[in-house]
Amino acid sequence: MAIDPPSASAGNPAPARPLRRDAQRNREALLTAARSCFAEQGMEAPLEQVAKRAGVAIGTLYRHFPTRLDLVQATFAEKLAVWREAAEKAVTMDDAWAGLCHFLETMCELQSQDRGFNDLASIRLPESACLAGAQTRIRELGVHIVERAQEQGSLRPDLTPEDLAFVIWSHSRVTEATHAIAPDAWRRHLYLLLDGFRTDRAHPLPAPPLTEEQLYRAMISLGGNGACGA
Amino acid sequence: MAIDPPSASAGNPAPARPLRRDAQRNREALLTAARSCFAEQGMEAPLEQVAKRAGVAIGTLYRHFPTRLDLVQATFAEKLAVWREAAEKAVTMDDAWAGLCHFLETMCELQSQDRGFNDLASIRLPESACLAGAQTRIRELGVHIVERAQEQGSLRPDLTPEDLAFVIWSHSRVTEATHAIAPDAWRRHLYLLLDGFRTDRAHPLPAPPLTEEQLYRAMISLGGNGACGA
DNA sequence: AGAGAATATGAGGCACCCCTCCGGTTGGTA
DNA sequence: TACCAACCGGAGGGGTGCCTCATATTCTCT
């Protein structure tokens, strides 16, 4: 993903000679350390701490992952896949409302377990990032999830897929606040919000939905100093 | 609040000789600068930037406000008062649901206009802070606001005053994301959540409410590096 | 006008984090 | 076994922000 002979940017050309054994070991130690650091402190955890926790010098970290974004992507690829699978499954569920709940609940669960994922879910990676594709796919699935639930009449018709970002963002801070004190409290918040999503009870909303473009810009603006540079 | 001859901690004993004219001028310049820095960047804005914007050296800032907390409190006293007045008014409104909306909408508006206030609303100041009393008062009023709306039957009965913190927290991140892109989008989120608060539509919630003590601990845990030291 | 207290200044020490670079080390192969 | 490319270590230069303190300046009162 970073190391290796020149070229090999997209992920398929040269088979790239396997890593030396010590390098392989270090790479894995780094990923393990990154997972725990990011989970505790978010995507902006000091890289020097990741290196220390991996029992490796800082130079070694940079050799394997030249930028923070490289490390973030390698660290979260799996969890992003879990989220994506939840979305894929959601669109196949007979009860579209249950599908929506499954999608959102899985997402929130991942967010609440991992501050780094919490950060990642809230933002949009740069186009160049290899995980950006997964984000895009999840968004497509989100559109279907919303449409199906509206067709079945369970989801209020004035809700747009962009409104799902409200769930991500609002849950983000709620879980950050309650995580250490009441690890399940976020479910209460989620279901309060979901009650507001149902068709019965819908009252007119006071502001128009975000456009897709606004949504992207909003997600990018949250990027701050995280892994979002370029 | 910080300067001046010894003693004079609570705010009434020695009349405390008035500030010299230059000191008075600087103090006001500092507050103005702090308001704009905090509004843009949150409560953790670099103090050196506040000083620079005030056209004053860093030492001067520390002379007037020995700790960040001192500066934060002086900066936000007025906005906290506005919030509190909204709460006082809310409990007098005939329609308790309208009162709840007025309270929350005012709060969210303040949060969305000012990142610093957004931070401040999410956390709990230390007992020693002079603004802590206002926070406590607002909380008391929040209890009444909730109770009245439940008595009138408009607010779902399984909601507790602690759940109002979900509004603060969730709005916090939503407005941070959308503030620069769609300044009114937060109203949409707020009213989605409020639709979930109504009595009709209430579905059983999957997690118990926070206790008061959990709420405080959660708010403190968000304090991070902000103005919350000691 | 002059003295003295109050105030302002800003360089500087400390801590944190970023990222680079080059000499030393090691794994795997001939 | 010996070689060398690949790899590792970690000191160090750069940047930011915090806070302090000795010195210089300015107000105010007599």
Side-chain angles (χ1 to χ4, degrees):
Chain A
M1 185 152 298
I3 216 163
D4 297 347
S7 92
S9 64
N12 57 350
R17 148 183 349 168
L19 289 179
R20 236 168 63 172
R21 223 183 309 118
D22 54 345
Q24 180 64 34
R25 212 182 327 124
N26 284 340
R27 183 188 161 86
E28 250 138 50
L30 281 166
L31 285 176
T32 301
R35 265 188 278 272
S36 77
C37 284
F38 288 152
E40 287 166 23
Q41 311 177 43
M43 281 192 338
E44 306 187 5
L47 296 187
E48 309 210 293
Q49 187 178 318
V50 174
K52 182 176 300 177
R53 201 173 287 195
V56 137
I58 186 66
T60 304
L61 184 152
Y62 279 99
R63 166 174 252 306
H64 284 272
F65 306 102
T67 74
R68 182 180 219 100
L69 180 56
D70 292 319
L71 179 58
V72 164
Q73 293 193 100
T75 302
F76 290 112
E78 284 176 26
K79 289 205 174 180
L80 241 201
V82 171
W83 185 16
R84 174 178 167 161
E85 276 153 28
E88 305 273 7
K89 176 175 173 193
V91 294
T92 71
M93 291 171 68
D94 288 340
D95 179 342
W97 178 262
L100 175 67
C101 291
H102 176 254
F103 172 62
L104 293 178
E105 207 157 343
T106 304
M107 174 186 88
C108 288
E109 183 119 43
L110 288 167
Q111 281 181 261
S112 79
Q113 286 167 356
D114 188 322
R115 254 191 87 169
F117 186 87
N118 196 10
D119 292 342
L120 183 64
S122 301
I123 68 172
R124 182 109 197 129
L125 293 175
E127 288 298 331
S128 58
C130 66
L131 293 188
Q135 288 189 323
T136 301
R137 174 66 181 153
I138 288 168
R139 191 184 183 281
E140 285 169 15
L141 291 164
V143 174
H144 292 143
I145 291 170
V146 166
E147 282 170 356
R148 287 182 69 237
Q150 284 170 332
E151 281 160 18
Q152 290 189 9
S154 44
L155 179 65
R156 60 193 293 170
D158 57 351
L159 204 106
T160 75
E162 283 73 28
D163 290 325
L164 296 185
F166 289 152
V167 182
I168 299 177
W169 290 327
S170 64
H171 171 67
S172 161
R173 187 91 179 171
V174 167
T175 198
E176 195 181 329
T178 59
H179 169 260
I181 286 96
D184 265 347
W186 62 266
R187 288 181 198 280
R188 190 171 167 91
H189 167 256
L190 174 60
Y191 277 84
L192 282 168
L193 188 53
L194 279 177
D195 272 354
F197 280 15
R198 295 175 198 270
T199 297
D200 45 358
R201 308 197 178 188
H203 289 66
L205 295 174
L210 293 179
T211 66
E212 184 171 341
E213 194 250 339
Q214 285 177 315
L215 173 64
Y216 287 163
R217 286 203 290 142
M219 295 188 89
I220 289 166
S221 76
L222 280 183
N225 309 311
C228 289
Chain B
M1 184 150 303
I3 215 161
D4 298 348
S7 92
S9 62
N12 57 349
R17 148 181 346 166
L19 288 179
R20 237 167 62 175
R21 221 184 310 117
D22 56 342
Q24 181 63 36
R25 210 184 327 123
N26 283 341
R27 185 188 159 86
E28 251 138 49
L30 281 166
L31 285 176
T32 301
R35 266 188 278 271
S36 78
C37 285
F38 288 152
E40 288 166 21
Q41 309 176 45
M43 281 191 337
E44 306 186 8
L47 296 187
E48 309 209 291
Q49 186 177 318
V50 174
K52 181 176 298 176
R53 203 173 287 194
V56 136
I58 186 66
T60 303
L61 184 152
Y62 279 99
R63 171 179 243 318
H64 285 272
F65 305 101
T67 73
R68 184 181 218 100
L69 180 56
D70 292 319
L71 180 57
V72 163
Q73 292 194 100
T75 302
F76 290 112
E78 284 176 26
K79 289 206 174 179
L80 241 201
V82 172
W83 185 17
R84 175 179 166 158
E85 276 153 29
E88 304 274 8
K89 176 174 173 193
V91 293
T92 70
M93 291 171 68
D94 287 340
D95 181 342
W97 178 262
L100 176 67
C101 291
H102 176 253
F103 173 62
L104 293 178
E105 207 157 343
T106 304
M107 173 186 88
C108 289
E109 184 119 42
L110 288 167
Q111 281 180 262
S112 80
Q113 286 167 357
D114 188 322
R115 255 192 85 168
F117 186 87
N118 195 12
D119 292 343
L120 183 64
S122 302
I123 68 172
R124 181 109 196 128
L125 293 175
E127 288 300 330
S128 59
C130 66
L131 292 188
Q135 289 189 322
T136 301
R137 173 67 180 150
I138 288 168
R139 193 186 182 278
E140 286 169 13
L141 292 164
V143 174
H144 292 143
I145 291 170
V146 165
E147 282 170 357
R148 287 183 69 236
Q150 284 172 331
E151 280 160 19
Q152 290 190 8
S154 44
L155 179 64
R156 59 193 293 170
D158 58 349
L159 205 106
T160 75
E162 284 72 29
D163 289 325
L164 296 185
F166 290 153
V167 182
I168 299 177
W169 290 328
S170 64
H171 171 67
S172 161
R173 188 90 179 174
V174 167
T175 198
E176 195 182 328
T178 58
H179 171 261
I181 287 96
D184 264 346
W186 63 265
R187 288 181 197 280
R188 189 171 168 90
H189 166 257
L190 174 61
Y191 277 84
L192 283 168
L193 188 53
L194 279 177
D195 272 355
F197 280 15
R198 295 175 199 270
T199 297
D200 44 359
R201 305 203 182 183
H203 288 66
L205 295 173
L210 292 180
T211 66
E212 185 171 341
E213 194 251 338
Q214 286 177 314
L215 173 65
Y216 287 164
R217 287 203 289 141
M219 296 187 88
I220 288 165
S221 76
L222 280 182
N225 308 313
C228 288

